[in-house]
Amino acid sequence: MRSLEERRKALKKAHPVWETMTLYQRFFKTEEACPDHVCFVDGQEYSYRQIGRMVRQAAAALERLGVSPGDCVAVMLGNRVEFLAITFALAKIGAVKVPVNKSAGAEELAYILEQTKAKVLAAEASEHHTWKEYEGLSHVICLPPWEDREGQGISWDAFLALGEGRESRLWEDGLSLSDIIYTSGSTGKPKGVMLTHDMLLRSAYASCINRGYEEGRRIYVPLPLFHVYGYVEGLLASVIVAGCILVKRGKFQAETALQFMQDQKANDILSVPFMMMKLLQCPTLEAYDLSSLYAVYCSASVCPKWVWSQLRTRLGAEEVVTGYGMTEVAGASMQTDPYDGTEILEGRVGKILEGGCAGEAKLHGAIIEYRVIDGATGLDMPPKEYGELICRGPVVTQGYYQFAEATANAVDAQGWLHTGDVGYFDENGYLRYLGRCNDIYKINGENVSPQFLDRVISKCEAVSAVETVGVPDEELGWVGAAFVELKDPSLDAERQVKEYCRETLAAFQVPKYFFFTESSTWPHTSTGKVQKFKLRELAKKRMEDGDG
């Protein structure tokens, strides 16, 4: 295989000038150039030609259901070929995709459907919901394992049949809205982040440049495609290089994943630390042939130091990256270099991505710019002092759909998005991320960053995983509570962790409470990220019960 720099040069040569286009236009260009390349594997292989045919049939069918440019269509699907078909079909006709977590509760789904006025819903989760209550829906497309006992919808096959032999319109405005992706914080209603076709493709291309995507790369994506991480840096980045997305349905399990990667000759995997830990802890890891695997992207939460080194020594991946981003910036805005060492990976989350032709000259070729400010005064912080991160650029959202108050609170008059994240840039331009503004807590006036504590505690030899949160304390205001998974659980190991913290951390940083549990019992999002606000509630309950 060619070197990283050679692959980067090839990408830039193939894309000398940025072309504004829709997601469908991007897909169609790849389909025309590489029709027989495998695009998607989900139990069976689908070529770009096969998926393109399905996309155009679905686009014509959507028009027959009355979907027009600008209309919203809710998509409540897992990682399956129909998700791709719907995604690019909506882009072809200028409609807007509203991806919904297929595990979303009825109340959340009702809120999203009502706010977006979605005309059509494509779903596979009938065991949790009925659809009669959503009066705005004109049609529901039912996919297995849904059994449409109440006659509320149309099957996928019947839906596709509506478009057979028909041709739909071609929407060509790449600056129009493509997706509304809902994000949930610790409180309040979900917010629909508005993302255009151009934003998504610029972000995907920048990731391709940094990671040196080559034509035909085979990427295992155990992350949900309805989230921006798997969607942009997996699916859309893959389409740019005529690559292939590999998916395995069902709950992530180490041995199943390893067998799948071996069978499919995966070159790359997009993951979160929880998944990488499970793979490396699998007792049969060495029995699998992963000689095709050379790249790993591990992001979304703090990763223990031992994981970074073993990704190269035991998993055999030479090119390892982590990153930083959010839905509001259309995916990752920063990544480490694929050959950065462990000392960078364990303490930094990357530097601002070069955009190639997708970057802007006024941003020195980047797709985004950042400032670090004092959250109280709005003034820039001195170099290497932490503050709130704010950003703007061609990949930054203009706001939240039908939510003027949230938009006004997040985006200022100069177009700067206030991320709510805290950190600072080092002398080499790498971001040291310290967590969310509302995660940082004070003990007797001293600021404590849970992200910093997680990085330090994870270096203890006895620790497999750690997540720290701040909890209220009558005497000190706030104190730390550390959830720790031990490599070999025992009282000696627990004492070792506590002693390590006392020796390594300042006295005020040492967590007051230690809860030694398995990480699988911690609350996670569907992407595997630990939900700090739920963990905080769990800590409070255990404190009340006298645990820790």
Side-chain angles (χ1 to χ4, degrees):
M1 187 179 66
R2 291 178 297 176
S3 70
L4 177 62
E5 284 308 313
E6 287 174 332
R7 286 179 272 142
R8 286 172 171 168
K9 288 179 181 177
L11 270 168
K12 292 176 182 179
K13 183 177 180 181
H15 302 273
V17 178
W18 184 250
E19 299 178 79
T20 301
M21 63 180 72
T22 67
L23 300 190
Y24 173 75
Q25 288 175 305
R26 177 65 268 171
F27 179 89
F28 184 67
K29 276 181 172 287
T30 302
E31 181 194 357
E32 276 195 315
C34 307
D36 297 319
H37 276 42
V38 178
C39 174
F40 190 77
V41 175
D42 171 21
Q44 71 179 81
E45 292 187 350
Y46 297 87
S47 68
Y48 277 86
R49 190 200 312 274
Q50 288 172 311
I51 291 183
R53 188 180 304 121
M54 192 185 303
V55 165
R56 287 181 283 278
Q57 202 168 344
L62 286 165
E63 282 192 334
R64 288 201 67 188
L65 294 182
V67 178
S68 300
D71 287 344
C72 290
V73 171
V75 180
M76 197 173 183
L77 301 176
N79 291 2
R80 54 194 299 162
V81 70
E82 294 90 348
F83 181 92
L84 273 69
I86 286 281
T87 294
F88 295 111
L90 291 169
K92 185 176 190 297
I93 63 175
V96 180
K97 181 168 106 270
V98 183
V100 183
N101 187 333
K102 68 173 187 174
S103 300
E107 184 175 342
E108 181 179 354
L109 176 62
Y111 172 79
I112 292 172
L113 292 175
E114 171 60 30
Q115 193 185 49
T116 60
K117 307 299 181 189
K119 284 189 172 184
V120 175
L121 167 69
E124 59 174 306
S126 66
E127 66 269 22
H128 300 298
H129 310 285
T130 58
W131 315 110
K132 290 178 180 177
E133 59 198 277
Y134 308 124
E135 297 178 357
L137 286 174
S138 58
H139 299 281
V140 179
I141 305 167
C142 316
L143 287 92
W146 186 346
E147 295 181 15
D148 187 28
R149 299 186 183 92
E150 300 176 9
Q152 297 170 279
I154 179 174
S155 72
W156 178 256
D157 289 341
F159 163 71
L160 282 185
L162 293 174
E164 192 170 351
R166 294 174 176 267
E167 183 58 49
S168 65
R169 72 175 68 89
L170 174 62
W171 184 257
E172 298 182 276
D173 183 3
L175 298 178
S176 64
L177 198 57
S178 168
D179 284 72
I180 302 172
I181 301 182
Y182 278 78
T183 63
S184 300
S186 58
T187 59
K189 298 176 181 177
K191 297 176 293 185
V193 181
M194 296 186 291
L195 302 173
T196 68
H197 299 265
D198 189 61
M199 290 168 61
L200 291 163
L201 290 174
R202 283 179 190 265
S203 179
Y205 180 71
S207 189
C208 286
I209 289 288
N210 184 61
R211 303 194 65 212
Y213 270 23
E214 74 286 352
E215 183 178 307
R217 178 178 287 215
R218 297 174 68 83
I219 311 167
Y220 174 38
V221 184
L223 304 168
L225 294 175
F226 53 75
H227 277 297
V228 72
Y229 184 3
Y231 179 37
V232 175
E233 285 139 276
L235 175 59
L236 298 184
S238 174
V239 167
I240 289 173
V241 298
C244 174
I245 292 296
L246 310 169
V247 303
K248 182 73 174 174
R249 295 195 202 179
K251 187 178 180 180
F252 181 86
Q253 294 180 326
E255 289 193 337
T256 302
L258 289 166
Q259 184 67 54
F260 183 67
M261 286 193 287
Q262 172 184 284
D263 294 345
Q264 295 299 330
K265 294 181 169 53
N267 307 134
D268 189 4
I269 175 173
L270 302 190
S271 63
V272 293
F274 173 78
M275 294 173 177
M276 290 296 94
M277 289 161 56
K278 293 305 177 187
L279 292 183
L280 294 170
Q281 290 169 339
C282 180
T284 60
L285 170 60
E286 276 70 25
Y288 296 92
D289 178 7
L290 302 179
S291 56
S292 297
L293 185 73
Y294 52 81
V296 170
Y297 190 166
C298 183
S299 189
S301 63
V302 171
C303 191
K305 178 180 179 179
W306 66 268
V307 172
W308 292 124
S309 59
Q310 290 193 23
L311 288 177
R312 286 183 169 129
T313 60
R314 295 189 62 220
L315 210 58
E318 294 182 0
E319 299 179 8
V320 178
V321 303
T322 190
Y324 165 83
M326 56 198 308
T327 306
E328 286 85 344
V329 300
S333 55
M334 302 182 210
Q335 290 174 6
T336 54
D337 186 85
Y339 286 98
D340 278 337
T342 300
E343 69 282 358
I344 295 292
L345 291 165
E346 69 177 23
R348 307 290 191 270
V349 292
K351 51 187 175 182
I352 296 172
L353 287 172
E354 174 194 348
C357 63
E360 291 194 343
K362 65 181 180 181
L363 302 181
H364 308 289
I367 57 174
I368 196 169
E369 63 179 323
Y370 276 88
R371 288 167 53 205
V372 181
I373 65 168
D374 182 318
T377 66
L379 299 176
D380 289 334
M381 297 297 294
K384 296 171 66 174
E385 289 194 22
Y386 73 82
E388 183 184 2
L389 299 168
I390 64 173
C391 59
R392 67 181 177 184
V395 297
V396 179
T397 185
Q398 295 301 300
Y400 302 102
Y401 188 73
Q402 299 293 338
F403 205 154
E405 180 182 357
T407 298
N409 289 336
V411 184
D412 66 25
Q414 288 74 45
W416 290 97
L417 172 73
H418 292 246
T419 67
D421 287 333
V422 176
Y424 68 87
F425 291 93
D426 69 14
E427 63 278 6
N428 296 313
Y430 282 82
L431 175 68
R432 183 178 282 278
Y433 176 64
L434 297 175
R436 299 288 295 167
C437 291
N438 56 6
D439 283 342
I440 290 178
Y441 58 93
K442 284 191 175 184
I443 296 179
N444 284 338
E446 296 281 2
N447 286 329
V448 180
S449 162
Q451 285 271 340
F452 172 77
L453 298 184
D454 293 345
R455 280 197 299 271
V456 172
I457 298 172
S458 70
K459 295 178 183 179
C460 176
E461 291 296 331
V463 173
S464 175
V466 58
E467 290 284 345
T468 312
V469 294
V471 290
D473 181 83
E474 290 184 2
E475 181 181 352
L476 300 174
W478 290 81
V479 294
F483 287 79
V484 180
E485 179 180 74
L486 298 169
K487 292 178 181 176
D488 295 301
S490 69
L491 289 176
D492 284 343
E494 292 180 10
R495 284 192 289 268
Q496 182 182 346
V497 172
K498 292 178 181 178
E499 183 63 26
Y500 176 86
C501 289
R502 285 191 291 269
E503 292 177 352
T504 310
L505 297 168
F508 70 89
Q509 294 173 327
V510 177
K512 182 176 181 178
Y513 301 97
F514 288 86
F515 304 121
F516 295 97
T517 61
E518 292 186 4
S519 59
S520 60
T521 65
W522 305 344
H524 292 81
T525 66
S526 57
T527 61
K529 181 187 290 187
V530 173
Q531 296 173 296
K532 290 276 192 179
F533 70 97
K534 289 187 178 180
L535 202 64
R536 192 176 296 117
E537 294 304 313
L538 181 59
K540 291 178 184 177
K541 184 178 186 306
R542 297 191 67 155
M543 288 159 51
E544 292 169 0
D545 294 341
D547 195 2

